[in-house]
Amino acid sequence: MPFYIVVLGPPGVGKGTQAKILSEKNKLAHVSSGDLFRENIKNQTDLGVLAKSFMDKGELVPDDVTIAMIKNRISRPDCEAGAILDGFPRTPAQADALEKMLAEFKGQVDKVPYITAAEAILIDRISGRWTCRANGHVYHEKFSPPKEAGKCDIDGSEIYQRDDDKIETVTRRIKVYMEQTAPLIDYYRRRGKLVEIDGTQPVEKVTELLLSALKK
Ligand code: ADP
Ligand code: AMP
């Protein structure tokens, strides 16, 4: 049976950081909707142009194109054993669509770790986030700086601050999360899948909490 995990939580809480670690430890694909959109923007595809117009304002990309993109991604062979989903679903309609598409693969969402932290922590993390141009590797100017300033440790490419990590957009993104994504907390709690994780801890500690929650 494939194993699918949805990592839920507000922007900047550490979903991408933890999803990457979990995917390496469990040998499961890491599927990040934000990374897929950024790849499309970099390659100047039609989807990229459309997505950018929403992302720059801190709004969600419409459900239909987002769902189609994820369906296409998780149909690929590297997701046959399952996947760690990061940033998707973000609306109840996306969650319903996910249930349907996983059923086609004889799978289901197994667990939903919900990572939490107060808004001040989210803003601190997002405003210090630096992302690498080539592959989206993530750093933080205070909490996990690169060895050489301005350069990715892994591939040597330039690191930059995402346009949507500017403070004006961040506050909008947090509001959009509260309005459109937070209903998923109850959605998955009602289905007995939600496990709350204290995201205020250092990265290694959050990973420990996640791993022990996923074992249960
Ligand atoms: P998300 O995917 O939820 O938006 P990220 O994983 O990109 O969040 O993390 C946001 C920023 O916070 C990044 O710069 C990352 O390096 C940093 N970060 C992630 N987890 C922690 C943590 N537990 N403690 C301190 N900084 C963290
Ligand atoms: P992230 O990389 O998860 O912080 O996402 C960055 C931006 O991409 C979000 O602010 C949205 O504009 C867009 N995005 C990512 N995932 C989704 C999703 N599941 N549904 C709609 N928009 C999304």
Side-chain angles (χ1 to χ4, degrees):
M1 277 279 272
F3 190 63
Y4 296 99
I5 294 169
V6 167
V7 183
L8 188 63
V13 79
K15 298 181 300 299
T17 301
Q18 297 299 332
K20 180 166 186 287
I21 298 172
L22 287 183
S23 88
E24 284 162 3
K25 283 194 189 291
N26 292 288
K27 302 206 171 23
L28 290 173
H30 173 195
V31 173
S32 155
S33 42
D35 283 354
L36 291 169
F37 286 133
R38 281 183 289 278
E39 228 174 271
N40 275 279
I41 293 173
K42 194 166 84 179
N43 297 331
Q44 300 179 332
T45 66
D46 291 346
L47 174 61
V49 173
L50 176 84
K52 189 171 178 357
S53 67
F54 291 93
M55 290 165 78
D56 283 351
K57 290 183 285 185
E59 303 295 331
L60 295 185
V61 180
D63 282 340
D64 53 350
V65 289
T66 305
I67 290 165
M69 174 181 78
I70 292 292
K71 187 162 188 198
N72 177 279
R73 176 65 189 89
I74 63 174
S75 306
R76 297 210 326 235
D78 67 325
C79 292
E80 256 168 35
I84 315 282
L85 298 170
D86 153 23
F88 182 92
R90 252 178 162 99
T91 62
Q94 292 182 14
D96 287 341
L98 179 64
E99 274 194 8
K100 288 206 189 90
M101 65 178 102
L102 294 186
E104 280 181 37
F105 305 128
K106 311 251 177 308
Q108 58 167 333
V109 172
D110 290 284
K111 281 253 161 70
V112 181
Y114 163 43
I115 312 181
T116 59
E119 185 163 334
I121 293 182
L122 307 177
I123 291 176
D124 204 27
R125 289 189 183 167
I126 297 180
S127 21
R129 169 162 59 191
W130 289 80
T131 305
C132 106
R133 218 32 108 189
N135 295 297
H137 298 120
V138 170
Y139 297 87
H140 191 282
E141 63 186 16
K142 280 190 283 191
F143 309 126
S144 55
K147 292 197 186 80
E148 197 182 324
K151 240 185 173 184
C152 176
D153 292 350
I154 301 164
D155 57 39
S157 74
E158 178 205 18
I159 56 172
Y160 73 104
Q161 192 177 27
R162 280 167 45 181
D163 283 343
D164 62 342
D165 280 353
K166 310 251 151 74
I167 190 68
E168 317 80 77
T169 322
V170 169
T171 44
R172 179 66 196 148
R173 282 165 62 202
I174 293 175
K175 191 152 185 283
V176 165
Y177 167 82
M178 297 304 292
E179 289 169 1
Q180 300 189 49
T181 307
L184 293 183
I185 300 164
D186 254 2
Y187 181 103
Y188 286 118
R189 187 180 281 129
R190 270 187 272 116
R191 287 162 171 76
K193 302 196 168 170
L194 199 81
V195 270
E196 278 195 48
I197 306 286
D198 175 9
T200 61
Q201 306 290 321
V203 172
E204 298 72 25
K205 180 69 191 166
V206 177
T207 305
E208 237 175 71
L209 295 173
L210 271 166
L211 289 173
S212 84
L214 292 177
K215 264 191 213 129
K216 283 183 199 139

